[in-house]
Amino acid sequence: MTKLDINSIAIIGAGPGGLASLYEFLHTNKDGSSTVGGPASTNPRFSKIVAFEQKDKAGGIWAPSLDKADLPVPPQDVLDTEKYNDPDVIHPRVPVPENLDGATKDKPVTLKENKELSELEWRRSGVFPDLFTNIPARFTRFSYQDNEEKYLDKSRPIYPFLYHQELTGRFSNWIEKEKLYDHIRLNTTVEKVVKNAQGKWVITVREKNEESGKENWYSEEFDAVVLSNGHYTVPNIPHIAGLAEYNKKHPGAIVHAKSYRKQEDFADKNVLVIGGGISTVNLLQYIVPIAKKTVNSKRGKNLVFDWINDALISDGIVAKGEIEKIDPESGEVFFKDGTSEKDIDKIVLTTGYHYHYPFLTDYVEVVDPSNLSRVGGLYYNTFSVQDPTIGAVGVTVSTINFHTIEASAAALAGVWSGAKTLPTVQEQKKWEEDLIKERGNNLIFHYYTHDVVKEEYVDRLQQFYPNGRYNPLEFDGPFLPEIEVGIANLEKLFYGLKDKKLPKSATLLPQ
């Protein structure tokens, strides 16, 4: 394939994926070599790199909003459409003004902010005050970030994990150290991405000023675009018969896990927790000890963490299968096995999130939108097969997401700098088709367990890295067995908290 001539790059999102991409591009030299792990390039390949972030700080989910959460569920008028399981319905696009010709960052078009649509951006982090990470500290960092010795201390109550404040600090300190904010535009949402006749990507954005209640609109051209707007932003609300009407008659009873903030909201309540993943047990360990009764409804087995399957049928949890319907009047919940539960006070949706790219629908396909979707048309979950000047970082799912993110960012830097080239479109399509046959046309397509992720994903992307760029798992790879230690300790912490054998204070950052 012909080498690409890319000088300017737009990064959509400044969470872990966007930050890794920004760092990588800043450490790519004009000759296609890399300075990753050292100072930023003094002879950079890319002349302009801009990351657009809709929140007021960078870091993605690790830039928490502990005091203010997103809406617990979409507004009632949205639920009443009965299409609330469609991400385009609960996260609608804001109409782009027609008079943007010539509008720039310095001379934007200023309009009054649409507060209702702004709330449906779902831009706040789902981190809650009691949260600790579920991946060992060594792997909740990029390979070039410090691996602080204090977090490897086995006497820590939550070893090998981090308190959420520690991970937030790890990110904020690194961002400041690398001066990444020099390239990030905060409170700025990308609303539209199109390619013009000159082959440039035109990025149309909306910059909010919450104090004035105004928003500035403008457009800017770039040679390439990184999709790094995350996979933990738009909540997945599964369609359940009666749910919308139940919410109308019982306002405040339903909350998605993203908006969970404090354990006390469930004290002496009958609680139904819907879901069967890691976020389900994350919340159950706090809800069960304080609730009057806790019911869990899930579709099937957890295919990632086997211990969760036993955890969800353990003491203190009434295990149920899929829900058939909810009676809006009585609140009785009917299950597909013919049983029911009455007097439910609170319903918690631990049902995951959507991949969502509403600004670029012509180039990215989300197959069957849900928490189990696949993003189609990406070679190694990173390069758009349709247009190699579109890249994605953060689509791959793994227990070592930081290192897979780093691998994708490095591959983009290598190809976009001209140091490496992609195989033919036919070869890229064949890779995708073969993997669909092997894994299926769903989220499992993107998933790599820790015991194969190096060989089957990170190592295979290395062929596209900038010259001299080391493998992200070169140093951390030998420690991958720590993931097993983490899984075992996560299980112990779950039972300790749920069964009241471990005080919650033991898992909170010491004051």
Side-chain angles (χ1 to χ4, degrees):
M1 180 178 280
T2 304
K3 287 187 177 182
L4 302 173
D5 183 21
I6 292 174
N7 295 296
S8 57
I9 303 172
I11 301 170
I12 303 177
L19 292 170
S21 301
L22 176 57
Y23 175 90
E24 198 76 38
F25 299 146
L26 290 171
H27 287 76
T28 304
N29 293 319
K30 192 176 285 289
D31 64 1
S33 60
S34 176
T35 68
V36 161
S41 173
T42 56
N43 188 23
R45 173 64 181 85
F46 307 110
S47 58
K48 181 173 76 170
I49 311 164
V50 178
F52 298 95
E53 171 53 53
Q54 66 178 359
K55 297 206 297 294
D56 60 359
K57 51 192 169 185
I61 60 173
W62 302 113
S65 172
L66 299 176
D67 297 329
K68 189 172 183 180
D70 279 337
L71 298 172
V73 289
Q76 190 61 47
D77 61 331
V78 175
L79 292 175
D80 287 342
T81 67
E82 295 292 345
K83 295 180 180 179
Y84 50 81
N85 56 331
D86 184 339
D88 290 329
V89 172
I90 68 169
H91 185 206
R93 293 179 63 179
V94 176
V96 176
E98 295 180 358
N99 59 335
L100 287 187
D101 289 347
T104 64
K105 187 179 188 310
D106 295 331
K107 295 183 178 180
V109 169
T110 302
L111 301 171
K112 184 179 180 181
E113 181 185 0
N114 185 321
K115 295 287 188 180
E116 184 177 342
L117 287 179
S118 288
E119 276 301 313
L120 293 178
E121 288 178 346
W122 307 102
R123 63 187 180 276
R124 299 181 185 91
S125 167
V127 168
F128 55 92
D130 300 339
L131 182 74
F132 55 89
T133 68
N134 52 40
I135 303 298
R138 183 186 304 278
F139 294 104
T140 49
R141 51 178 270 281
F142 301 122
S143 69
Y144 40 76
Q145 288 180 288
D146 291 339
N147 183 28
E148 300 94 327
E149 285 291 328
K150 61 183 178 180
Y151 299 145
L152 306 181
D153 180 359
K154 294 183 180 181
S155 68
R156 282 167 53 93
I158 60 168
Y159 173 84
F161 309 118
L162 297 178
Y163 303 105
H164 72 82
Q165 298 96 328
E166 292 173 330
L167 185 49
T168 295
R170 176 179 268 181
F171 261 93
S172 59
N173 293 339
W174 172 68
I175 291 168
E176 294 292 341
K177 174 186 174 184
E178 297 294 336
K179 297 180 171 58
L180 298 184
Y181 272 122
D182 292 349
H183 305 271
I184 300 171
R185 298 182 193 171
L186 300 172
N187 298 306
T188 304
T189 303
V190 173
E191 295 292 353
K192 189 175 182 181
V193 179
V194 296
K195 204 164 198 179
N196 64 18
Q198 291 72 44
K200 299 284 188 178
W201 290 105
V202 180
I203 312 294
T204 300
V205 305
R206 180 169 55 99
E207 179 186 37
K208 294 184 291 294
N209 184 324
E210 293 200 0
E211 288 186 8
S212 68
K214 303 287 186 180
E215 52 190 29
N216 294 329
W217 288 81
Y218 63 91
S219 297
E220 195 165 340
E221 292 184 355
F222 294 87
D223 297 322
V225 179
V226 179
L227 309 179
S228 55
N229 53 319
H231 186 204
Y232 301 100
T233 298
V234 183
N236 173 59
I237 314 289
H239 186 271
I240 299 172
L243 181 74
E245 190 67 18
Y246 172 83
N247 186 74
K248 184 184 295 184
K249 296 183 182 300
H250 305 273
I254 309 175
V255 60
H256 189 276
K258 192 182 187 197
S259 298
Y260 171 98
R261 285 297 182 270
K262 58 183 188 293
Q263 180 187 37
E264 291 72 23
D265 289 344
F266 303 90
D268 300 317
K269 306 285 189 188
N270 293 323
V271 184
L272 169 62
V273 179
I274 303 174
I278 193 68
S279 64
T280 309
V281 291
N282 273 351
L283 297 195
L284 281 173
Q285 64 192 1
Y286 298 114
I287 292 173
V288 173
I290 200 169
K292 184 189 300 182
K293 180 180 183 180
T294 307
V295 181
N296 172 244
S297 165
K298 65 185 182 72
R299 287 180 299 196
K301 291 186 65 174
N302 187 291
L303 301 177
V304 178
F305 297 105
D306 190 55
W307 71 269
I308 290 178
N309 297 309
D310 290 330
L312 294 181
I313 59 173
S314 62
D315 290 347
I317 300 171
V318 179
K320 296 288 185 179
E322 277 193 82
I323 295 172
E324 181 179 349
K325 65 179 181 179
I326 300 175
D327 184 310
E329 297 293 339
S330 68
E332 187 171 2
V333 181
F334 296 87
F335 300 91
K336 290 186 177 180
D337 64 2
T339 63
S340 67
E341 286 288 337
K342 297 180 179 180
D343 303 320
I344 295 295
D345 301 306
K346 301 283 283 188
I347 297 177
V348 186
L349 302 170
T350 60
T351 46
Y353 299 85
H354 289 281
Y355 289 109
H356 199 218
Y357 311 98
F359 43 78
L360 194 65
T361 54
D362 292 343
Y363 290 86
V364 181
E365 177 196 10
V366 178
V367 181
D368 295 329
S370 75
N371 62 327
L372 297 176
S373 299
R374 183 180 79 86
V375 183
L378 297 176
Y379 179 60
Y380 277 104
N381 306 332
T382 303
F383 299 96
S384 168
V385 176
Q386 184 178 348
D387 191 313
T389 61
I390 297 175
V393 175
V395 172
T396 298
V397 180
S398 173
T399 44
I400 57 164
N401 279 339
F402 288 89
H403 288 69
T404 57
I405 282 171
E406 184 181 337
S408 285
L412 288 176
V415 171
W416 287 356
S417 67
K420 303 293 171 62
T421 59
L422 291 167
T424 65
V425 169
Q426 290 74 21
E427 290 175 277
Q428 294 179 53
K429 287 182 176 178
K430 185 178 186 305
W431 173 87
E432 183 177 22
E433 291 165 359
D434 288 347
L435 201 59
I436 290 173
K437 292 176 184 175
E438 177 186 334
R439 296 184 167 200
N441 200 14
N442 52 50
L443 183 67
I444 300 301
F445 177 96
H446 300 303
Y447 181 69
Y448 293 85
T449 55
H450 66 275
D451 54 332
V452 302
V453 66
K454 183 178 187 298
E455 178 185 344
E456 295 185 7
Y457 188 76
V458 175
D459 290 355
R460 294 182 187 181
L461 274 178
Q462 188 169 4
Q463 62 185 304
F464 303 115
Y465 295 173
N467 295 323
R469 208 301 187 186
Y470 65 85
N471 187 307
L473 285 171
E474 179 178 339
F475 307 109
D476 295 320
F479 298 95
L480 281 168
E482 286 184 3
I483 298 293
E484 297 290 346
V485 175
I487 292 171
N489 285 359
L490 194 64
E491 183 178 5
K492 290 178 185 176
L493 288 166
F494 168 80
Y495 283 108
L497 289 166
K498 178 183 72 76
D499 298 334
K500 300 183 183 180
K501 296 176 180 176
L502 181 70
K504 186 177 74 170
S505 59
T507 63
L508 301 180
L509 182 68
Q511 298 300 312

